[in-house]
Amino acid sequence: TKKSTIKYFVTTEKDSLKAVIEDAGIEPQETFFIDDSEMNCKAARELGISTYTPKAGEDWSHLFKNK
């Protein structure tokens, strides 16, 4: 009988963000990441991305208004 092998691997948030950056061809220093997870934002900051973590129900449209 033939044995099948199942491989498992874990992708970290940081690895996922790196893949998106590379695929999109963007510069981390020119990127702004908004996420409700502090863990995701921390991973983005470690890559040089500016982040914002809104509070639940917060209106964060002020981030995009011209001054």
Side-chain angles (χ1 to χ4, degrees):
T1 60
K2 185 177 178 182
K3 286 186 175 182
S4 67
T5 303
I6 299 174
K7 295 181 181 181
Y8 295 93
F9 63 93
V10 176
T11 301
T12 65
E13 297 303 325
K14 197 170 178 180
D15 289 340
S16 297
L17 287 167
K18 279 183 186 178
V20 169
I21 288 167
E22 290 172 9
D23 186 58
I26 57 177
E27 294 295 325
Q29 300 78 8
E30 298 174 357
T31 305
F32 187 56
F33 181 72
I34 300 171
D35 196 280
D36 63 350
S37 166
E38 180 54 37
M39 182 176 72
N40 293 345
C41 286
K42 180 180 181 228
R45 284 191 304 274
E46 289 174 358
L47 294 171
I49 299 171
S50 295
T51 68
Y52 185 77
T53 307
K55 306 278 188 254
E58 176 185 348
D59 174 10
W60 37 272
S61 62
H62 66 277
L63 297 172
F64 302 99
K65 293 182 180 173
N66 291 331
K67 294 183 179 185

